[in-house]
Structure formats: structure tokens, C-alpha cells
Amino acid sequence: MIATSMTVTPATHSADILIVDDMPDNIRFLSSLLIEQGYRVRKAINGKMALTAIQTIQPDLILLDINLPDMNGYEVCESLKQDEQTQSIPIIFLSALNEALDKVKAFQVGGVDYITKPFQLEEILVRVKHHLTLKMLQNQLQHQNQELQTTLGELRKTQAQLLQKQKMLSLGQLASGMAHEINNSVGFISSNLNPAKQYVQDLLSLIELYQQEYPHPSDTIQAFMEEINLDFLEEDVNQLIGSMQTGTERIQAVILALRIFSRLNESEIKSVDIHEGIKSVLVLLQSRLYPENKPPIRVVETYNELPSITCYASQINQVIFNLLNNAIDAIEAARDRLQAASETPTIWITTTWENPDLVTIKIQDNGIGIPETMQPRLFDPFFTTKAVGKGTGLSLLTSYQIIVEKHQGQLICVSAPNQGAEFKIEIPLKLTTT
């Protein structure tokens, strides 16, 4: 039975409404009423037909009768609410049942409203309009939330980029000044070591001549020779100067590695030997690879022949530094496990050129590994798998931006807890700039 009223508030909505009812009179009445108000109306006479119609085109609102021949309205609603694609569609139940338990069940399965028969025109229109308005506001809010999340993500990326850029700029300026000052001082020492070595040798030769000409020195000279242990001094002085020479060569090698790493006083984009960059990073990380009072970290280098790569050279070196540094951190966190398993802390570095347009760099470790749940967030701004105070969450983000966004390459991680991690870098041979 349908009750009518003379007062109807017109609506201008063009929302899509699905009416599900097995009574033709009810469908005709509701359909006519809603079409007059400007709504688009579709109809279904049973639950299965309704589900098919919803899967084809999702309606903005559903008017759902409870008593249907094949599956009742509660079952239809539950099916829709279990599907992520349809769970947000508002459902208004229609029923002649007016018991409180029926209404409670309707809301429990996910209905947003409950209209009892006989229908009142104004009640139907007001409730339909109300829930469509709520749905529209929810959609707008969801859209705004998505935009805010996108904006927030971009802001965090920009913040990370600015922080990293400022950090690298400061480090570059510091490295440039230090390299210049140290190089001058070491150069002075190195240039004087050979003459000093010759002078010492001449003096030792002179002492030897004196010993030959005056084989019986005075008691004072004899006592002093024993005090300074002349025989040991003659043997050790050359070793001492040799050690000094080795030290200056080591410092010069570090300075050279620093210059290669930072590409000081060079253009940003240039053609480089990627192996040269990797080796410079390994020199800079020697203190971490050979820590005091701990077993050293073995580095297995497998370099295949590669062509020169046109890239932002210093930034590619920065990526390699970040990944190797993280690999060392992962191994440090796994030292107890490695020691218990008699496993040598190891980093494997492999370069290949299998694709004519790409070179591949793989950096693998047998460290602590990365849980699968964390891997999707590895390249998020400020996300880190390390303990509080141990990392900023910028190195992997920066590496991703340099490889993927700046060089149109790929940075892929494969890892599992206690199984180590492998980061694969793919870089195009030629940089495409915009």
C-alpha cells in the first residue's frame, strides 16, 4: 500500500539510484517519483539481478526491499559491504516490517536508513536527498584527503631534497677546503721525504766511514752508541721513512678518492667510468670496512667491462655511498648472528652490461635484512628501518630520486629478515635531460 501527500519538494539531483523490490507497483511508484525529481533510476526485482546491475554500473544510492524471492535484502547488503568496491554505496532498506529487531539488523548489516511501508512521499524524498548529500560530502572529503596526502607527500619529498641538498653542499664545500689544505701539507711532506731519506743515508754512510777509519772510539762515544742502539737505529730508520712514505701515499689516495667521489671543480653531467666511482667510495669507507676490535667486512668485487656512462657523476657516487653505508649498518646489526653461524661479514658488488642501453650495479650484503612489511616504505621520506637516532630516512629516498627521477633508471630491493639484502641499480647509458 502506498500513502501519498500533496506536498513534494522538487530536487534537481541527477544521481543514479537503484530500486530493488519484487513488487511491480512499488517499483513503478518509486521510479516515477524519483524521475520527476531529476534522478536517474534503475530497477531490479531480485537480489541476484541487483548485484549484477551494481557490478555493471555502481549506483549512488540503493533502495533495497528486505523480502526478496531469492536472497533477502540483508544478504544483498552484506555481500555489497564485503566488497571493497561497493561497500561505500549507501543503502536504504524498505520494508513493511516495523519491528525494532528488523531495524537493528538492517543497521547491523550496513544499511544507512530504514523506511517502513506504506511510503510517505516527503519522507522518501527527504531521506534520499539527505543520504545523497552525505555521500557527496563524503566523496568530496575523501578526494580532499587524497589531495592532502599527495600534497603532504610532495612536501615531505621537497623537504628531504632540500635537507639533503644543503647537507651535500656543505659537505662538498668542506671536502673541497679540506682536500686543498691537506693536499698542500701532504705534498710538502711527500716532496721532502726522498731528500730526507737520502740525507739520512748519507749520514749513516758517514758514520760507517768513521767506524772504519776509527775502529776504536772513545769511551764516551762508545757509551752513547750503546745508549742509542746504533745498530738498531741504522736498520729501523729506513723502515721509519718507508712508513712515512706509505702514510703520505695513503692520504693522497684518500684525497684523490674524495675528489673523484665529489667530482670537485667538474661539470655536473659528464661521461664517467662507474668502476672508478665505486672504488673511490670503498676508499672513503675503509674505516668502516676495517673497524678496530672487530673482524673486517670482506668486499667481493666482480666488475665486468662497462662503457662510460653519461650522468650526474657525483650524485651516482652518492647513491653508491648510501647503499654501501647501509649495507655496512645491516652487517653491524647482524654481527652476533654471523659470528654464531661462523659466517664472514661480506658485501658483494657486481656490475654487468647485459642490456645495450643499461648498466646494472648490484650491492648485496649478508646483514640483518629487511622485513617484507617494511619494503614498500623503503623510499618514503624520513622512513628508516634503523633504531631511533641511527638514521634519518633520507639516504634511500635520495638514492631513489637520483636513480629513478633524475636518471630514469630503476632502484630495486630484494630482501628478507636474516637473509641480507640486495639493491639493484639500473642506469641508462645516456642521460635524458628535459
Side-chain angles (χ1 to χ4, degrees):
M1 180 178 179
I2 301 170
T4 62
S5 173
M6 298 302 296
T7 305
V8 178
T9 303
T12 57
H13 299 78
S14 60
D16 184 84
I17 298 175
L18 177 66
I19 302 171
V20 186
D21 199 317
D22 62 336
M23 300 294 292
D25 288 343
N26 288 343
I27 288 183
R28 279 194 294 269
F29 168 73
L30 291 172
S31 175
S32 176
L33 174 66
L34 294 171
I35 289 173
E36 286 179 4
Q37 301 303 310
Y39 298 112
R40 298 190 306 275
V41 177
R42 290 184 290 147
K43 310 155 196 173
I45 60 174
N46 57 56
K48 291 181 179 179
M49 185 183 295
L51 293 176
T52 301
I54 293 165
Q55 293 298 328
T56 304
I57 301 175
Q58 286 193 17
D60 297 303
L61 182 140
I62 301 172
L63 296 175
L64 178 61
D65 188 25
I66 293 177
N67 293 320
L68 295 172
D70 50 354
M71 54 189 303
N72 63 42
Y74 298 135
E75 294 171 330
V76 173
C77 184
E78 287 177 331
S79 176
L80 294 174
K81 295 304 174 182
Q82 290 171 2
D83 188 337
E84 198 172 311
Q85 300 297 321
T86 59
Q87 61 184 203
S88 64
I89 302 173
I91 298 173
I92 299 176
F93 279 101
L94 308 173
S95 179
L97 304 173
N98 198 23
E99 296 295 329
L101 289 177
D102 297 313
K103 295 181 180 180
V104 169
K105 185 172 182 180
F107 289 113
Q108 285 177 337
V109 297
V112 297
D113 211 337
Y114 191 100
I115 300 177
T116 56
K117 302 175 182 179
F119 301 133
Q120 299 292 330
L121 287 178
E122 289 182 342
E123 179 184 16
I124 292 173
L125 293 176
V126 167
R127 295 199 184 196
V128 165
K129 184 176 181 180
H130 171 70
H131 288 294
L132 285 173
T133 301
L134 284 179
K135 181 67 165 59
M136 179 186 68
L137 293 174
Q138 288 173 352
N139 288 342
Q140 290 177 352
L141 182 60
Q142 184 178 9
H143 180 68
Q144 290 172 350
N145 284 339
Q146 289 174 346
E147 288 185 337
L148 285 173
Q149 289 296 326
T150 301
T151 302
L152 179 61
E154 293 300 322
L155 286 173
R156 289 170 69 86
K157 282 187 178 181
T158 302
Q159 181 185 13
Q161 286 174 341
L162 290 173
L163 286 173
Q164 192 68 13
K165 187 175 182 179
Q166 184 62 38
K167 176 182 174 183
M168 293 308 297
L169 179 62
S170 300
L171 285 175
Q173 292 171 341
L174 178 63
S176 179
M178 288 179 61
H180 178 73
E181 291 300 324
I182 295 173
N183 199 43
N184 285 344
S185 301
V186 171
F188 175 78
I189 296 171
S190 180
S191 64
N192 285 285
L193 274 176
N194 285 331
K197 183 177 181 181
Q198 186 60 50
Y199 296 159
V200 169
Q201 191 61 50
D202 290 343
L203 289 172
L204 291 175
S205 297
L206 179 61
I207 292 172
E208 187 177 349
L209 284 174
Y210 266 102
Q211 287 176 325
Q212 292 174 3
E213 294 293 329
Y214 301 98
H216 304 292
S218 65
D219 292 341
T220 303
I221 293 175
Q222 184 68 36
F224 185 71
M225 288 171 58
E226 292 176 358
E227 182 181 343
I228 65 173
N229 196 348
L230 181 60
D231 292 337
F232 173 77
L233 187 150
E234 289 178 346
E235 179 182 345
D236 192 54
V237 69
N238 287 323
Q239 294 180 3
L240 184 65
I241 294 177
S243 297
M244 294 168 64
Q245 184 70 46
T246 301
T248 57
E249 290 172 357
R250 168 68 181 155
I251 295 172
Q252 288 172 328
V254 171
I255 293 172
L256 177 61
L258 188 59
R259 287 186 176 276
I260 294 171
F261 173 78
S262 60
R263 296 290 173 181
L264 298 172
N265 303 319
E266 296 180 8
S267 60
E268 277 195 325
I269 302 175
K270 64 178 301 181
S271 181
V272 296
D273 177 0
I274 206 73
H275 295 148
E276 186 181 58
I278 296 173
K279 291 173 183 177
S280 73
V281 172
L282 290 174
V283 170
L284 296 178
L285 289 172
Q286 286 295 296
S287 61
R288 298 209 65 200
L289 293 169
Y290 297 91
E292 294 183 6
N293 304 321
K294 292 180 182 178
I297 297 174
R298 182 170 60 113
V299 178
V300 179
E301 300 169 73
T302 306
Y303 299 143
N304 290 284
E305 185 176 350
L306 300 181
S308 296
I309 303 172
T310 302
C311 61
Y312 291 91
S314 65
Q315 295 186 21
I316 294 297
N317 288 341
Q318 183 186 340
V319 171
I320 295 168
F321 180 90
N322 290 342
L323 297 182
L324 285 173
N325 207 38
N326 284 346
I328 294 171
D329 288 339
I331 287 174
E332 290 296 338
R335 276 199 181 271
D336 290 342
R337 175 181 64 81
L338 295 173
Q339 185 175 1
S342 300
E343 191 175 347
T344 303
T346 306
I347 295 174
W348 294 267
I349 305 173
T350 307
T351 62
T352 55
W353 183 30
E354 298 173 356
N355 186 313
D357 301 320
L358 297 171
V359 297
T360 301
I361 306 167
K362 293 180 181 178
I363 297 176
Q364 182 182 358
D365 64 72
N366 58 352
I368 196 171
I370 303 169
E372 187 176 352
T373 55
M374 292 185 177
Q375 291 180 30
R377 298 189 59 199
L378 279 181
F379 306 115
D380 288 354
F382 304 102
F383 176 79
T384 178
T385 60
K386 300 172 187 175
V388 176
K390 297 292 185 181
T392 62
L394 291 179
S395 66
L396 285 179
L397 168 67
T398 302
S399 300
Y400 182 86
Q401 290 172 334
I402 290 172
I403 297 299
V404 178
E405 298 176 11
K406 205 154 191 176
H407 289 83
Q408 298 83 49
Q410 289 195 70
L411 179 57
I412 302 167
C413 173
V414 179
S415 181
N418 297 322
Q419 299 295 320
E422 178 187 89
F423 282 87
K424 182 169 75 170
I425 306 168
E426 291 184 347
I427 313 173
L429 294 182
K430 300 295 182 182
L431 178 64
T432 303
T433 57
T434 56

